Amino acid sequence: MKVLIATEKPFAPVAVSGIREVVEKAGYELALLEKYTEKQQLLDAVADADALIIRSDKVDEAVFAAAKQLKIVVRAGAGYDNIDLAAATAHNVVAMNTPGQNANAVAELVMGLLVYAVRNFYNGKSGTELKGKTLGLLAFGNVGRNVARIAKGFGMNIQAYDAFCSAEAIEAAGVKSVPSREELFATSDVVSLHIPATPETVKSINGPLVKTMKKGAILLNTARKEVIDEETLLAALAEREDLKYITDIKPDADAQFAAQFPDRYFATPKKMGAQTAEANINAGIAAANQIVGYLKEGITKFQVNK
Ligand code: 3PG
């Protein structure tokens, strides 16, 4: 059996070693395709792979068609919007994610970006503090929960809205539950996005919603660029000169945002949320274990194309 790691943005070497250990202990072979620049390289590499570990790498019909032996693909991470699930099912491939494994890394970056934003991108001018400010979490999954845990240490007031999580579950974590997304935006000093990219959420964060935010508010995106309606967000930022947009995922209109709002917009050069040794180890090794568990024992616990 051959397990291929195909990562355009590579794991830390220590994570690759950990994956190798799991794979070889199971009696399988490990192949590595990192920093590839052409889709064809991925298509060639998957030709004889039985299992595939990816990150944000796009796995579409063409990849499944080229991967004649593929039985399982595991997205080492949370969001699996980069996998064509219907194509996976059509090709009899099990698709999985590794939920929660990189959540702390993303949550720590949220706080790092927030400090950077309220201190005016470290430009020397007087900024503000996070203590006593209201942090609104849009979705209360693994990342949202970790952000809440850390933000409590900053003395922030934390509130959350999640369409799929009950008010009781949110309150049980010591976080105020608000009844709607609209209320979350209108009553938070910072709104941090932790929603996946789905047909329902794509372009759901738009200018009219952002314009309801409090004076001096910050919109923080460590989720997906697709959830933003860029055109109306640009218009909202132009109209509301007090708002900031901070993101770990460069928008398509990055150049325009940067040119128009140099003091109120920041995007990391490359998505950094899950880019820690610990997150790479946790997610990568979980992916390897899930592959072994599926191939040897048929365990499908984290399957997402059921
Ligand atoms: C996730 O969905 O797990 C994160 O967005 C991390 O993505 P990455 O593995 O491409 O850094």
Side-chain angles (χ1 to χ4, degrees):
M1 291 277 182
K2 189 167 182 173
V3 179
L4 172 69
I5 299 176
T7 46
E8 182 271 322
K9 182 177 63 185
F11 290 122
V14 63
V16 176
S17 306
I19 294 170
R20 183 181 299 281
E21 216 170 284
V22 173
V23 167
E24 290 179 354
K25 197 170 157 221
Y28 303 156
E29 183 193 337
L30 186 75
L32 194 55
L33 174 70
E34 289 182 327
K35 292 189 192 170
Y36 59 93
T37 49
E38 305 299 325
K39 175 88 172 266
Q40 192 57 48
Q41 293 173 272
L42 177 60
L43 298 181
D44 292 343
V46 295
D48 61 349
D50 297 281
L52 177 61
I53 297 175
I54 51 154
R55 296 185 62 177
S56 289
D57 308 78
K58 207 169 165 50
V59 179
D60 55 14
E61 168 58 35
V63 176
F64 287 113
K68 297 267 180 279
Q69 319 219 43
L70 196 65
K71 294 150 190 72
I72 176 168
V73 55
V74 184
R75 192 282 190 244
Y80 46 88
D81 46 306
N82 50 322
I83 303 178
D84 183 336
L85 295 184
T89 304
H91 287 268
N92 285 318
V93 176
V94 166
M96 295 187 187
N97 66 347
T98 64
Q101 299 290 350
N102 56 23
N104 181 66
V106 181
E108 288 191 11
L109 187 75
V110 165
M111 300 315 294
L113 289 172
L114 257 188
V115 172
Y116 187 56
V118 295
R119 296 303 182 97
N120 298 316
F121 307 159
Y122 305 153
N123 69 357
K125 288 187 191 153
S126 184
T128 58
E129 298 181 19
L130 294 172
K131 187 177 176 187
K133 303 297 188 304
T134 298
L135 170 63
L137 303 171
L138 185 58
F140 202 61
N142 290 307
V143 180
R145 282 167 186 273
N146 275 283
V147 175
R149 172 180 54 78
I150 303 170
K152 278 180 196 169
F154 277 78
M156 298 190 83
N157 305 314
I158 304 152
Q159 54 185 17
Y161 171 74
D162 189 319
F164 301 97
C165 182
S166 71
E168 290 72 28
I170 292 172
E171 304 269 347
V175 170
K176 183 181 169 200
S177 164
V178 294
S180 69
R181 210 174 67 120
E182 286 63 32
E183 186 165 328
L184 190 83
F185 271 75
T187 60
S188 300
D189 296 296
V190 178
V191 171
S192 190
L193 305 177
H194 302 295
I195 48 176
T198 65
E200 291 76 34
T201 64
V202 166
K203 293 200 176 188
S204 64
I205 309 301
N206 55 36
L209 183 64
V210 169
K211 276 196 283 183
T212 68
M213 292 178 85
K214 289 172 73 176
K215 190 164 172 33
I218 297 170
L219 177 64
L220 183 54
N221 184 7
T222 55
R224 288 290 181 272
K225 73 171 179 183
E226 289 82 0
V227 304
I228 303 289
D229 182 35
E230 295 186 12
E231 208 179 304
T232 59
L233 177 60
L234 280 163
L237 289 176
E239 197 179 313
R240 286 280 308 272
E241 294 185 359
D242 56 312
L243 299 178
K244 285 186 177 135
Y245 180 50
I246 310 294
T247 180
D248 187 32
I249 318 95
K250 263 192 187 160
D252 293 333
D254 170 60
Q256 205 178 330
F257 276 97
Q260 261 183 276
F261 315 111
D263 305 329
R264 299 189 284 127
Y265 167 76
F266 174 75
T268 53
K270 191 145 196 157
K271 191 166 72 160
M272 290 298 297
Q275 203 57 327
T276 66
E278 292 88 341
N280 291 172
I281 291 168
N282 292 344
I285 292 181
N289 280 323
Q290 286 171 215
I291 286 170
V292 174
Y294 175 67
L295 293 178
K296 291 207 187 281
E297 297 171 63
I299 299 169
T300 55
K301 184 169 175 206
F302 294 107
Q303 185 173 353
V304 292
N305 63 333
K306 270 184 189 162

